[in-house]
Each structure stands twice: as structure tokens, then as C-alpha cells.
């Protein structure tokens, strides 16, 4: 099973992923926790380029291609082998992020992005995606408090982050079966209980399908 978490900056993805990975491990599932950009050694090197505030000159097109390159490596080196080994893979961001950030945020062509995602993922799509929905100002505030500094993308304008947020909501509307919107203004444990109850249903559905 392949689960992804999406949302704007500081929406609580890392916090929820850590809780979820612990809960699944306690329930004797084998879990692979990963993230984008990065996830693989080569992907982590690409991540450095993408997030370094020093790389102000990085063009929108170069940025798009680097996210795709990181994903292509991540899928082939980490995600597919883990799924083949029967693990539950949880990724902090995946292809929806490119649609939201480079498509809606940077206004790059959505048809091109979908095609590029298809190539990068080799057609792999998550079984379930949690979209943590939080007003962007709150998220940016949380991110800057927790890390003390903002990366290259976080330094973008509020309008940019608002376009990303709108993008995520538009993507979620198109695929309500896969993408579950979670109100991320709630306390951490309330959010987690919501995620866990959705996931339990999904796991039992997958088990039923598998048994038949
Ligand atoms: N990006 C892109 O443009 N295109 C792509 O294709 C991909 C990514 C894949 C990756 O950054 C950047 O790359 C990202 C999108 C772009 N943009 N930026 N910047 P990243 O991986 O370093 O950062 P992030 O994904 O934005 O995550 P984050 O800032 O680390 O936030 P988070 O993981 O969602 O939140 P958190 O670390 O769990 O929580 C943040 C703080 O809030 C922390 O102090 C928590 O204790 C606190 N928190 C968490 N939940 C709550 C609740 N419920 N209440 C109160 N406080 C809370």
C-alpha cells in the first residue's frame, strides 16, 4: 500500500507521518517512511539544489525537471522495491505536489506536468492521499518557528502559497476517492484519529479485494 501526505508548508505532514508509522509498526506492519524531494541518496542531492536559498537563479523549468528527476529516482530505487517487499510506503509529498507548486504556483503547463509525472512515476499512483488543509499564513508561521529559517520555496510570496493551496483543493476535488482533505487547524491527536479511521477502512478494503 502506498500512502502520501500533501499540504502547504508547516501543515503537519511530518508530525502525522511519524505518528502513523509508529502506529502501523505497533500493529506489526512493515513501514517505509520517505519523502520528496529526496528519499534516495541521489534525490537528497537534488533536494539540496532545489531548497537552497542560494539558488535564486533556478528557473521554473529547471525546478520542474529537478523535482521530476528526484521522483524518477525515488520511485525506482526506493518506492517500488519497498512495495514489492510488502511494505506500506508513506511518502511526505509526491506527484500532486508538482501539480500544486509548479502547476498552480508557478503557472507551468498542467498537461506537460501530468505527462512528466507519468514518466517520472512510471504510472505509479498512491492508493491513498491525505491533504492537510491549513491557512497558509499559519503554516508558514509554524514552519519558521519550528526550523528558525525558511527555504527557497518557503520564501515565495503569500500569493504563490495561496495559489498552491487552491491547486491542492482543485486536485482533491477531481479525485475524492483517493484524496482525503483533513482540517489541519485541529489538535494533533484529533487529526491523527481522523487519519487512522480513514486508513483502517482502506486497509480492510484492500484485504477483502486481496482475499478474493
Ligand atoms: N515541492 C515542490 O515545489 N514540488 C514538488 O514536486 C515537491 C515539493 C515534491 C519541500 O520542503 C518543498 O518542496 C516544499 C514543496 C516543494 N515547499 N516548501 N517549502 P520540505 O519537505 O522541507 O518542507 P514541507 O514539505 O513544506 O514540510 P514542513 O515545512 O517540514 O512542514 P510539515 O512536515 O507539513 O509540518 P511539521 O514539520 O509536521 O509541523 C510544523 C510545525 O507545526 C512543528 O513545529 C509541529 O510541531 C507543529 N504542528 C504540527 N501539527 C500541528 C497542529 N495540529 N497544531 C499545532 N502545531 C502543529
Amino acid at each position: 500500500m502506498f500512502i502520501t501526505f500533501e499540504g502547504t508548508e508547516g501543515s503537519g505532514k511530518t508530525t502525522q507521518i511519524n505518528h502513523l508509522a509508529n502506529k502501523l509498526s505497533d500493529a506489526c506492519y512493515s513501514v517505509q517512511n520517505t519523502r520528496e524531494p529526496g528519499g534516495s541518496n541521489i534525490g537528497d542531492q537534488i533536494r539540496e539544489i532545489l531548497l537552497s536559498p542560494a539558488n535564486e537563479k533556478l528557473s521554473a523549468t529547471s525546478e520542474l525537471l529537478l523535482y521530476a528527476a528526484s521522483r524518477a529516482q525515488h520511485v525506482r530505487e526506493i518506492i517500488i522495491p519497498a512495495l514489492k517487499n510488502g511494505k506500506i510506503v508513506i511518502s511526505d509529498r509526491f506527484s500532486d505536489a508538482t501539480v500544486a507548486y509548479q502547476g498552480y504556483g508557478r503557472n507551468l503547463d498542467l498537461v506537460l506536468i501530468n505527462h512528466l509525472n507519468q514518466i517520472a512515476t512510471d504510472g505509479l499512483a498512491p492508493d491513498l492521499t491525505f491533504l492537510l488543509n491549513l491557512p497558509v499564513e499559519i503554516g508558514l508561521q509554524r514552519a519558521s518557528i519550528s526550523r528558525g529559517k525558511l527555504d527557497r520555496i518557503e520564501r515565495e510570496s503569500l500569493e504563490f502559497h495561496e495559489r498552491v493551496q487552491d491547486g491542492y483543493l482543485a486536485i482533491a476535488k477531481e479525485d475524492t476517492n483517493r484524496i482525503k482533505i483533513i482540517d489541519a487547524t485541529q489538535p494533533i491527536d484529533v487529526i491523527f484519529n481522523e487519519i487512522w479511521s480513514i486508513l483502517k477502512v482502506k486497509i480492510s478494503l484492500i484485504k477483502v479485494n486481496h482475499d478474493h
Side-chain angles (χ1 to χ4, degrees), residues 28-46:
C28 294
Y29 288 100
S30 174
V31 179
Q32 173 87 42
N33 219 336
T34 187
R35 68 169 178 185
E36 286 199 1
S40 68
N41 191 295
I42 293 167
D44 282 339
Q45 295 175 58
I46 299 173

mmCIF file with all atom_site columns, all heavy atoms in Angstrom, residues 28-46:
data_model
loop_
_atom_site.group_PDB
_atom_site.id
_atom_site.type_symbol
_atom_site.label_atom_id
_atom_site.label_alt_id
_atom_site.label_comp_id
_atom_site.label_asym_id
_atom_site.label_entity_id
_atom_site.label_seq_id
_atom_site.pdbx_PDB_ins_code
_atom_site.Cartn_x
_atom_site.Cartn_y
_atom_site.Cartn_z
_atom_site.occupancy
_atom_site.B_iso_or_equiv
_atom_site.pdbx_formal_charge
_atom_site.auth_seq_id
_atom_site.auth_comp_id
_atom_site.auth_asym_id
_atom_site.auth_atom_id
_atom_site.pdbx_PDB_model_num
ATOM 1   N N   . CYS A 1 28 ? 2.275  -4.282 13.729 1.00 0.00 ? 28 CYS A N   1
ATOM 2   C CA  . CYS A 1 28 ? 3.071  -5.300 13.027 1.00 0.00 ? 28 CYS A CA  1
ATOM 3   C C   . CYS A 1 28 ? 3.108  -5.157 11.510 1.00 0.00 ? 28 CYS A C   1
ATOM 4   O O   . CYS A 1 28 ? 3.361  -6.132 10.799 1.00 0.00 ? 28 CYS A O   1
ATOM 5   C CB  . CYS A 1 28 ? 2.611  -6.714 13.412 1.00 0.00 ? 28 CYS A CB  1
ATOM 6   S SG  . CYS A 1 28 ? 2.940  -7.043 15.119 1.00 0.00 ? 28 CYS A SG  1
ATOM 7   N N   . TYR A 1 29 ? 2.845  -3.964 11.009 1.00 0.00 ? 29 TYR A N   1
ATOM 8   C CA  . TYR A 1 29 ? 3.039  -3.729 9.575  1.00 0.00 ? 29 TYR A CA  1
ATOM 9   C C   . TYR A 1 29 ? 4.483  -3.278 9.374  1.00 0.00 ? 29 TYR A C   1
ATOM 10  O O   . TYR A 1 29 ? 5.060  -2.593 10.230 1.00 0.00 ? 29 TYR A O   1
ATOM 11  C CB  . TYR A 1 29 ? 2.103  -2.629 9.063  1.00 0.00 ? 29 TYR A CB  1
ATOM 12  C CG  . TYR A 1 29 ? 0.648  -3.057 8.973  1.00 0.00 ? 29 TYR A CG  1
ATOM 13  C CD1 . TYR A 1 29 ? -0.259 -2.699 9.969  1.00 0.00 ? 29 TYR A CD1 1
ATOM 14  C CD2 . TYR A 1 29 ? 0.206  -3.812 7.897  1.00 0.00 ? 29 TYR A CD2 1
ATOM 15  C CE1 . TYR A 1 29 ? -1.595 -3.088 9.892  1.00 0.00 ? 29 TYR A CE1 1
ATOM 16  C CE2 . TYR A 1 29 ? -1.122 -4.208 7.812  1.00 0.00 ? 29 TYR A CE2 1
ATOM 17  C CZ  . TYR A 1 29 ? -2.013 -3.845 8.809  1.00 0.00 ? 29 TYR A CZ  1
ATOM 18  O OH  . TYR A 1 29 ? -3.321 -4.230 8.731  1.00 0.00 ? 29 TYR A OH  1
ATOM 19  N N   . SER A 1 30 ? 5.017  -3.638 8.233  1.00 0.00 ? 30 SER A N   1
ATOM 20  C CA  . SER A 1 30 ? 6.357  -3.177 7.897  1.00 0.00 ? 30 SER A CA  1
ATOM 21  C C   . SER A 1 30 ? 6.212  -1.877 7.098  1.00 0.00 ? 30 SER A C   1
ATOM 22  O O   . SER A 1 30 ? 5.498  -1.840 6.098  1.00 0.00 ? 30 SER A O   1
ATOM 23  C CB  . SER A 1 30 ? 7.018  -4.290 7.085  1.00 0.00 ? 30 SER A CB  1
ATOM 24  O OG  . SER A 1 30 ? 8.233  -3.877 6.631  1.00 0.00 ? 30 SER A OG  1
ATOM 25  N N   . VAL A 1 31 ? 6.881  -0.822 7.586  1.00 0.00 ? 31 VAL A N   1
ATOM 26  C CA  . VAL A 1 31 ? 6.639  0.522  7.041  1.00 0.00 ? 31 VAL A CA  1
ATOM 27  C C   . VAL A 1 31 ? 7.914  1.118  6.457  1.00 0.00 ? 31 VAL A C   1
ATOM 28  O O   . VAL A 1 31 ? 8.985  0.999  7.049  1.00 0.00 ? 31 VAL A O   1
ATOM 29  C CB  . VAL A 1 31 ? 6.106  1.467  8.154  1.00 0.00 ? 31 VAL A CB  1
ATOM 30  C CG1 . VAL A 1 31 ? 5.885  2.871  7.613  1.00 0.00 ? 31 VAL A CG1 1
ATOM 31  C CG2 . VAL A 1 31 ? 4.826  0.926  8.757  1.00 0.00 ? 31 VAL A CG2 1
ATOM 32  N N   . GLN A 1 32 ? 7.788  1.746  5.299  1.00 0.00 ? 32 GLN A N   1
ATOM 33  C CA  . GLN A 1 32 ? 8.898  2.524  4.737  1.00 0.00 ? 32 GLN A CA  1
ATOM 34  C C   . GLN A 1 32 ? 8.470  3.984  4.698  1.00 0.00 ? 32 GLN A C   1
ATOM 35  O O   . GLN A 1 32 ? 7.532  4.360  3.991  1.00 0.00 ? 32 GLN A O   1
ATOM 36  C CB  . GLN A 1 32 ? 9.203  2.039  3.309  1.00 0.00 ? 32 GLN A CB  1
ATOM 37  C CG  . GLN A 1 32 ? 10.207 2.875  2.560  1.00 0.00 ? 32 GLN A CG  1
ATOM 38  C CD  . GLN A 1 32 ? 11.642 2.440  2.820  1.00 0.00 ? 32 GLN A CD  1
ATOM 39  O OE1 . GLN A 1 32 ? 11.932 1.248  2.864  1.00 0.00 ? 32 GLN A OE1 1
ATOM 40  N NE2 . GLN A 1 32 ? 12.522 3.400  3.009  1.00 0.00 ? 32 GLN A NE2 1
ATOM 41  N N   . ASN A 1 33 ? 9.168  4.783  5.501  1.00 0.00 ? 33 ASN A N   1
ATOM 42  C CA  . ASN A 1 33 ? 8.881  6.205  5.610  1.00 0.00 ? 33 ASN A CA  1
ATOM 43  C C   . ASN A 1 33 ? 9.800  6.969  4.663  1.00 0.00 ? 33 ASN A C   1
ATOM 44  O O   . ASN A 1 33 ? 11.006 6.791  4.730  1.00 0.00 ? 33 ASN A O   1
ATOM 45  C CB  . ASN A 1 33 ? 9.260  6.578  7.055  1.00 0.00 ? 33 ASN A CB  1
ATOM 46  C CG  . ASN A 1 33 ? 8.316  7.538  7.645  1.00 0.00 ? 33 ASN A CG  1
ATOM 47  O OD1 . ASN A 1 33 ? 7.669  8.258  6.916  1.00 0.00 ? 33 ASN A OD1 1
ATOM 48  N ND2 . ASN A 1 33 ? 8.252  7.581  8.961  1.00 0.00 ? 33 ASN A ND2 1
ATOM 49  N N   . THR A 1 34 ? 9.267  7.822  3.795  1.00 0.00 ? 34 THR A N   1
ATOM 50  C CA  . THR A 1 34 ? 10.147 8.503  2.865  1.00 0.00 ? 34 THR A CA  1
ATOM 51  C C   . THR A 1 34 ? 9.613  9.895  2.523  1.00 0.00 ? 34 THR A C   1
ATOM 52  O O   . THR A 1 34 ? 8.569  10.297 3.063  1.00 0.00 ? 34 THR A O   1
ATOM 53  C CB  . THR A 1 34 ? 10.373 7.600  1.620  1.00 0.00 ? 34 THR A CB  1
ATOM 54  O OG1 . THR A 1 34 ? 11.348 8.192  0.782  1.00 0.00 ? 34 THR A OG1 1
ATOM 55  C CG2 . THR A 1 34 ? 9.100  7.360  0.829  1.00 0.00 ? 34 THR A CG2 1
ATOM 56  N N   . ARG A 1 35 ? 10.319 10.624 1.649  1.00 0.00 ? 35 ARG A N   1
ATOM 57  C CA  . ARG A 1 35 ? 9.878  11.996 1.374  1.00 0.00 ? 35 ARG A CA  1
ATOM 58  C C   . ARG A 1 35 ? 10.353 12.483 0.011  1.00 0.00 ? 35 ARG A C   1
ATOM 59  O O   . ARG A 1 35 ? 11.279 11.901 -0.576 1.00 0.00 ? 35 ARG A O   1
ATOM 60  C CB  . ARG A 1 35 ? 10.434 12.953 2.429  1.00 0.00 ? 35 ARG A CB  1
ATOM 61  C CG  . ARG A 1 35 ? 11.938 13.093 2.304  1.00 0.00 ? 35 ARG A CG  1
ATOM 62  C CD  . ARG A 1 35 ? 12.488 14.207 3.139  1.00 0.00 ? 35 ARG A CD  1
ATOM 63  N NE  . ARG A 1 35 ? 13.943 14.244 3.012  1.00 0.00 ? 35 ARG A NE  1
ATOM 64  C CZ  . ARG A 1 35 ? 14.736 15.045 3.685  1.00 0.00 ? 35 ARG A CZ  1
ATOM 65  N NH1 . ARG A 1 35 ? 14.216 15.875 4.567  1.00 0.00 ? 35 ARG A NH1 1
ATOM 66  N NH2 . ARG A 1 35 ? 16.034 15.031 3.507  1.00 0.00 ? 35 ARG A NH2 1
ATOM 67  N N   . GLU A 1 36 ? 9.719  13.549 -0.453 1.00 0.00 ? 36 GLU A N   1
ATOM 68  C CA  . GLU A 1 36 ? 10.160 14.231 -1.688 1.00 0.00 ? 36 GLU A CA  1
ATOM 69  C C   . GLU A 1 36 ? 10.227 15.729 -1.454 1.00 0.00 ? 36 GLU A C   1
ATOM 70  O O   . GLU A 1 36 ? 9.401  16.244 -0.704 1.00 0.00 ? 36 GLU A O   1
ATOM 71  C CB  . GLU A 1 36 ? 9.171  13.941 -2.818 1.00 0.00 ? 36 GLU A CB  1
ATOM 72  C CG  . GLU A 1 36 ? 9.310  12.537 -3.353 1.00 0.00 ? 36 GLU A CG  1
ATOM 73  C CD  . GLU A 1 36 ? 8.694  12.373 -4.734 1.00 0.00 ? 36 GLU A CD  1
ATOM 74  O OE1 . GLU A 1 36 ? 8.175  13.366 -5.296 1.00 0.00 ? 36 GLU A OE1 1
ATOM 75  O OE2 . GLU A 1 36 ? 8.745  11.256 -5.242 1.00 0.00 ? 36 GLU A OE2 1
ATOM 76  N N   . PRO A 1 37 ? 11.128 16.451 -2.122 1.00 0.00 ? 37 PRO A N   1
ATOM 77  C CA  . PRO A 1 37 ? 12.174 15.875 -2.930 1.00 0.00 ? 37 PRO A CA  1
ATOM 78  C C   . PRO A 1 37 ? 13.159 15.126 -2.042 1.00 0.00 ? 37 PRO A C   1
ATOM 79  O O   . PRO A 1 37 ? 13.326 15.470 -0.882 1.00 0.00 ? 37 PRO A O   1
ATOM 80  C CB  . PRO A 1 37 ? 12.830 17.092 -3.583 1.00 0.00 ? 37 PRO A CB  1
ATOM 81  C CG  . PRO A 1 37 ? 12.550 18.221 -2.640 1.00 0.00 ? 37 PRO A CG  1
ATOM 82  C CD  . PRO A 1 37 ? 11.224 17.923 -2.044 1.00 0.00 ? 37 PRO A CD  1
ATOM 83  N N   . GLY A 1 38 ? 13.803 14.097 -2.620 1.00 0.00 ? 38 GLY A N   1
ATOM 84  C CA  . GLY A 1 38 ? 14.752 13.296 -1.861 1.00 0.00 ? 38 GLY A CA  1
ATOM 85  C C   . GLY A 1 38 ? 14.297 11.857 -1.799 1.00 0.00 ? 38 GLY A C   1
ATOM 86  O O   . GLY A 1 38 ? 13.786 11.316 -2.765 1.00 0.00 ? 38 GLY A O   1
ATOM 87  N N   . GLY A 1 39 ? 14.501 11.248 -0.627 1.00 0.00 ? 39 GLY A N   1
ATOM 88  C CA  . GLY A 1 39 ? 14.085 9.857  -0.435 1.00 0.00 ? 39 GLY A CA  1
ATOM 89  C C   . GLY A 1 39 ? 15.194 8.877  -0.782 1.00 0.00 ? 39 GLY A C   1
ATOM 90  O O   . GLY A 1 39 ? 15.336 7.854  -0.131 1.00 0.00 ? 39 GLY A O   1
ATOM 91  N N   . SER A 1 40 ? 15.968 9.208  -1.810 1.00 0.00 ? 40 SER A N   1
ATOM 92  C CA  . SER A 1 40 ? 17.114 8.368  -2.188 1.00 0.00 ? 40 SER A CA  1
ATOM 93  C C   . SER A 1 40 ? 18.363 9.232  -2.020 1.00 0.00 ? 40 SER A C   1
ATOM 94  O O   . SER A 1 40 ? 18.260 10.461 -1.887 1.00 0.00 ? 40 SER A O   1
ATOM 95  C CB  . SER A 1 40 ? 16.986 7.932  -3.649 1.00 0.00 ? 40 SER A CB  1
ATOM 96  O OG  . SER A 1 40 ? 17.135 9.064  -4.497 1.00 0.00 ? 40 SER A OG  1
ATOM 97  N N   . ASN A 1 41 ? 19.516 8.592  -2.082 1.00 0.00 ? 41 ASN A N   1
ATOM 98  C CA  . ASN A 1 41 ? 20.763 9.356  -1.946 1.00 0.00 ? 41 ASN A CA  1
ATOM 99  C C   . ASN A 1 41 ? 20.901 10.395 -3.063 1.00 0.00 ? 41 ASN A C   1
ATOM 100 O O   . ASN A 1 41 ? 21.195 11.567 -2.817 1.00 0.00 ? 41 ASN A O   1
ATOM 101 C CB  . ASN A 1 41 ? 21.921 8.341  -1.994 1.00 0.00 ? 41 ASN A CB  1
ATOM 102 C CG  . ASN A 1 41 ? 23.218 8.995  -1.603 1.00 0.00 ? 41 ASN A CG  1
ATOM 103 O OD1 . ASN A 1 41 ? 23.678 9.880  -2.322 1.00 0.00 ? 41 ASN A OD1 1
ATOM 104 N ND2 . ASN A 1 41 ? 23.789 8.597  -0.483 1.00 0.00 ? 41 ASN A ND2 1
ATOM 105 N N   . ILE A 1 42 ? 20.623 9.964  -4.288 1.00 0.00 ? 42 ILE A N   1
ATOM 106 C CA  . ILE A 1 42 ? 20.711 10.894 -5.425 1.00 0.00 ? 42 ILE A CA  1
ATOM 107 C C   . ILE A 1 42 ? 19.638 11.978 -5.277 1.00 0.00 ? 42 ILE A C   1
ATOM 108 O O   . ILE A 1 42 ? 19.891 13.170 -5.498 1.00 0.00 ? 42 ILE A O   1
ATOM 109 C CB  . ILE A 1 42 ? 20.568 10.117 -6.757 1.00 0.00 ? 42 ILE A CB  1
ATOM 110 C CG1 . ILE A 1 42 ? 21.786 9.208  -6.932 1.00 0.00 ? 42 ILE A CG1 1
ATOM 111 C CG2 . ILE A 1 42 ? 20.394 11.065 -7.943 1.00 0.00 ? 42 ILE A CG2 1
ATOM 112 C CD1 . ILE A 1 42 ? 21.644 8.162  -8.026 1.00 0.00 ? 42 ILE A CD1 1
ATOM 113 N N   . GLY A 1 43 ? 18.435 11.556 -4.862 1.00 0.00 ? 43 GLY A N   1
ATOM 114 C CA  . GLY A 1 43 ? 17.337 12.516 -4.662 1.00 0.00 ? 43 GLY A CA  1
ATOM 115 C C   . GLY A 1 43 ? 17.670 13.552 -3.595 1.00 0.00 ? 43 GLY A C   1
ATOM 116 O O   . GLY A 1 43 ? 17.300 14.725 -3.711 1.00 0.00 ? 43 GLY A O   1
ATOM 117 N N   . ASP A 1 44 ? 18.399 13.119 -2.551 1.00 0.00 ? 44 ASP A N   1
ATOM 118 C CA  . ASP A 1 44 ? 18.770 14.075 -1.499 1.00 0.00 ? 44 ASP A CA  1
ATOM 119 C C   . ASP A 1 44 ? 19.748 15.133 -2.018 1.00 0.00 ? 44 ASP A C   1
ATOM 120 O O   . ASP A 1 44 ? 19.731 16.282 -1.579 1.00 0.00 ? 44 ASP A O   1
ATOM 121 C CB  . ASP A 1 44 ? 19.367 13.344 -0.287 1.00 0.00 ? 44 ASP A CB  1
ATOM 122 C CG  . ASP A 1 44 ? 18.279 12.707 0.576  1.00 0.00 ? 44 ASP A CG  1
ATOM 123 O OD1 . ASP A 1 44 ? 17.105 13.150 0.489  1.00 0.00 ? 44 ASP A OD1 1
ATOM 124 O OD2 . ASP A 1 44 ? 18.581 11.757 1.314  1.00 0.00 ? 44 ASP A OD2 1
ATOM 125 N N   . GLN A 1 45 ? 20.582 14.734 -2.986 1.00 0.00 ? 45 GLN A N   1
ATOM 126 C CA  . GLN A 1 45 ? 21.496 15.720 -3.585 1.00 0.00 ? 45 GLN A CA  1
ATOM 127 C C   . GLN A 1 45 ? 20.700 16.721 -4.430 1.00 0.00 ? 45 GLN A C   1
ATOM 128 O O   . GLN A 1 45 ? 20.976 17.919 -4.432 1.00 0.00 ? 45 GLN A O   1
ATOM 129 C CB  . GLN A 1 45 ? 22.541 15.011 -4.453 1.00 0.00 ? 45 GLN A CB  1
ATOM 130 C CG  . GLN A 1 45 ? 23.470 14.113 -3.640 1.00 0.00 ? 45 GLN A CG  1
ATOM 131 C CD  . GLN A 1 45 ? 24.417 13.332 -4.532 1.00 0.00 ? 45 GLN A CD  1
ATOM 132 O OE1 . GLN A 1 45 ? 25.165 13.913 -5.297 1.00 0.00 ? 45 GLN A OE1 1
ATOM 133 N NE2 . GLN A 1 45 ? 24.370 12.012 -4.432 1.00 0.00 ? 45 GLN A NE2 1
ATOM 134 N N   . ILE A 1 46 ? 19.674 16.210 -5.113 1.00 0.00 ? 46 ILE A N   1
ATOM 135 C CA  . ILE A 1 46 ? 18.813 17.102 -5.911 1.00 0.00 ? 46 ILE A CA  1
ATOM 136 C C   . ILE A 1 46 ? 18.036 18.036 -4.961 1.00 0.00 ? 46 ILE A C   1
ATOM 137 O O   . ILE A 1 46 ? 17.853 19.217 -5.235 1.00 0.00 ? 46 ILE A O   1
ATOM 138 C CB  . ILE A 1 46 ? 17.838 16.281 -6.799 1.00 0.00 ? 46 ILE A CB  1
ATOM 139 C CG1 . ILE A 1 46 ? 18.617 15.399 -7.775 1.00 0.00 ? 46 ILE A CG1 1
ATOM 140 C CG2 . ILE A 1 46 ? 16.868 17.201 -7.549 1.00 0.00 ? 46 ILE A CG2 1
ATOM 141 C CD1 . ILE A 1 46 ? 17.759 14.430 -8.593 1.00 0.00 ? 46 ILE A CD1 1
#
